Amino acid sequence: MTDLATRTAGRSVAPGLSGALRRAAPALLGYAAVRALGLLTLALWSAARDKSAYTLLTARWDSLWYTRVAEQGYGYEVRLPDGDVHSDLAFFPLLPWLERLGAAVTPLSYADAGFVVSLVASLAAAWGIFAVADHVYGRRAAGCAVLLWAVLPVGVVQSMAYSESLFTALAAWSLYAVLTGRWVTAGTLAALAGLTRPVGLAVAAAVWAAAITTWVRDRNGGEGGVPPGARRVLGTVLAPLGAAGYVLWVGHRTGKGPLGYLDVQAGWRNGFDGGVAFARFVAGRFTSFPGALAGVALTVGVALLVWLYLVGVRRGQPLPLLVYTGLVAVLALCASSYFGSKPRLLLPAFPLLFPPAVGLARLRTARSALVVCGVAAASAVYGAFWLNGSGPP
């Protein structure tokens, strides 16, 4: 493991639940304030355009697919004139299951339940991000990391009836469990993350990477006569079960074998090509003057992501975080379609925010607050503009 990981391994694990919540409370309050600003701005912007902000958050784009699965189960598909088949099997089941549960035990509709799940999950995700960053970098940097995640340009997705917030919450807490040696918890949460999005395999890979390096480094017995190796093995076995189980079920249901899920994704013209299609898309922006500005912005954005990842490597970020972040970024950037979705697909890659969070934490409180407030206002305006325009494809 890296030097930083070795240093953090000696820290005591988080205190009890109430103590951990008190420690994270300022960051969570700041996160809630940023998201409230974003939702208020969206409501005002939408009202001015005679649109419903709530509809944009709960009943557009992928939200409709999730609620349809929750209400009717799997089996719906749309055949397009060009021959493509959009099947609801592309959407992993945990969010629809929670929507169905919410609608069953409360008066909420499926869409309402999805919105509530996202709101709760976004707070859980913010807390999980705080826990991971606090464990590695300390409380002040952790608070800054949470606020930076809140003010991302597409941060409004965190409040939509989408699966990004739910997945990020499960991933963050699984990674925290890995860093603190809670292997069974880490594996269980990784399995749930794998039932949420295909990129859940990145969480499982982080658990496996940590388990292998820990096994090599440490073979000491555990407490109570149970060797830590047994818990480690159980965690690694559990970690990939969610994603693998759903993919295998889809293959069985479609009759196309273990990799049938790839055919489902192909029907959406979505696959993994190593980034070739995305590179062509970016290059195509340079064929006209307005598009060239977008091309420059995309190029700079990708370069920034690579630079932030390399900074994490140079500063000794723990291996599980590097594995997880690298796979999330690669899977997002190297998908062959839905180029406009890439910013929101990168939302779960929160460890990329840790280097700038550390830098922000070094500023005086007044200066860092001014920076966050300014970026939060810009993010709120952009989110309202985006959802009232093209929005998530």
Side-chain angles (χ1 to χ4, degrees):
M1 297 179 74
T2 62
D3 292 340
L4 181 55
T6 302
R7 292 196 300 271
T8 59
R11 296 183 182 178
S12 60
V13 297
L17 182 62
S18 60
L21 183 56
R22 284 195 301 271
R23 184 173 178 83
L28 297 182
L29 290 174
Y31 175 81
V34 172
R35 293 281 14 102
L37 174 64
L39 293 177
L40 176 61
T41 304
L42 175 64
L44 295 175
W45 192 296
S46 301
R49 294 175 60 87
D50 198 27
K51 290 185 178 182
S52 167
Y54 190 69
T55 297
L56 294 174
L57 293 169
T58 64
R60 292 288 302 277
W61 307 293
D62 290 3
S63 299
L64 293 173
W65 288 89
Y66 283 120
T67 55
R68 185 179 288 112
V69 172
E71 183 176 4
Q72 302 176 7
Y74 286 102
Y76 179 80
E77 61 183 29
V78 176
R79 295 185 177 272
L80 304 182
D82 62 2
D84 289 342
V85 178
H86 288 184
S87 168
D88 59 8
L89 291 171
F91 297 89
F92 277 49
L94 186 57
L95 178 57
W97 286 348
L98 293 176
E99 289 179 342
R100 182 178 297 177
L101 176 63
V105 301
T106 70
L108 298 175
S109 68
Y110 295 106
D112 295 338
F115 181 62
V116 171
V117 168
S118 290
L119 289 183
V120 174
S122 68
L123 287 171
W127 191 4
I129 292 170
F130 177 89
V132 172
D134 185 24
H135 183 78
V136 180
Y137 297 103
R139 184 180 186 183
R140 186 174 175 85
C144 291
V146 169
L147 292 175
L148 288 178
W149 192 65
V151 302
L152 288 173
V154 293
V156 68
V157 174
Q158 298 163 15
S159 302
M160 296 179 67
Y162 269 44
S163 61
E164 274 77 8
S165 288
L166 178 61
F167 175 79
T168 304
L170 294 167
W173 284 108
S174 178
L175 291 170
Y176 177 72
V178 164
L179 294 176
T180 55
R182 298 174 170 92
W183 294 104
V184 177
T185 299
T188 301
L189 292 173
L192 292 173
L195 285 171
T196 308
R197 298 184 65 82
V199 74
L201 288 174
V203 189
V207 175
W208 275 64
I212 292 171
T213 55
T214 304
W215 178 77
V216 171
R217 180 179 55 85
D218 182 15
R219 298 183 182 182
N220 295 329
E223 298 178 0
V226 180
R231 294 191 292 270
R232 196 159 52 226
V233 169
L234 180 56
T236 56
V237 170
L238 289 171
L241 292 184
Y246 181 69
V247 167
L248 292 174
W249 178 80
V250 170
H252 174 74
R253 182 181 175 101
T254 59
K256 296 183 178 180
L259 300 181
Y261 182 78
L262 298 181
D263 291 330
V264 172
Q265 286 282 26
W268 287 80
R269 291 190 179 270
N270 199 19
F272 184 89
D273 66 356
V276 174
F278 184 46
R280 290 174 178 169
F281 173 79
V282 174
R285 303 304 94 190
F286 290 95
T287 58
S288 63
F289 173 69
L293 297 178
V296 170
L298 288 170
T299 303
V300 171
V302 173
L304 178 61
L305 291 174
V306 174
W307 178 75
L308 288 173
Y309 185 78
L310 292 177
V311 170
V313 173
R314 289 198 303 268
R315 294 183 180 177
Q317 201 170 92
L319 179 63
L321 302 187
L322 293 175
V323 170
Y324 166 77
T325 307
L327 286 175
V328 171
V330 166
L331 291 173
L333 295 176
C334 295
S336 61
S337 188
Y338 296 101
F339 306 116
S341 296
K342 295 191 183 297
R344 72 174 177 87
L345 296 179
L346 286 164
L347 271 177
F350 62 87
L352 290 173
L353 299 173
F354 290 171
V358 171
L360 187 62
R362 291 172 179 163
L363 300 178
R364 292 183 177 179
T365 301
R367 183 172 297 181
S368 60
L370 182 63
V371 171
V372 170
C373 288
V375 178
S379 174
V381 171
Y382 177 79
F385 168 78
W386 183 52
L387 283 195
N388 277 276
S390 60

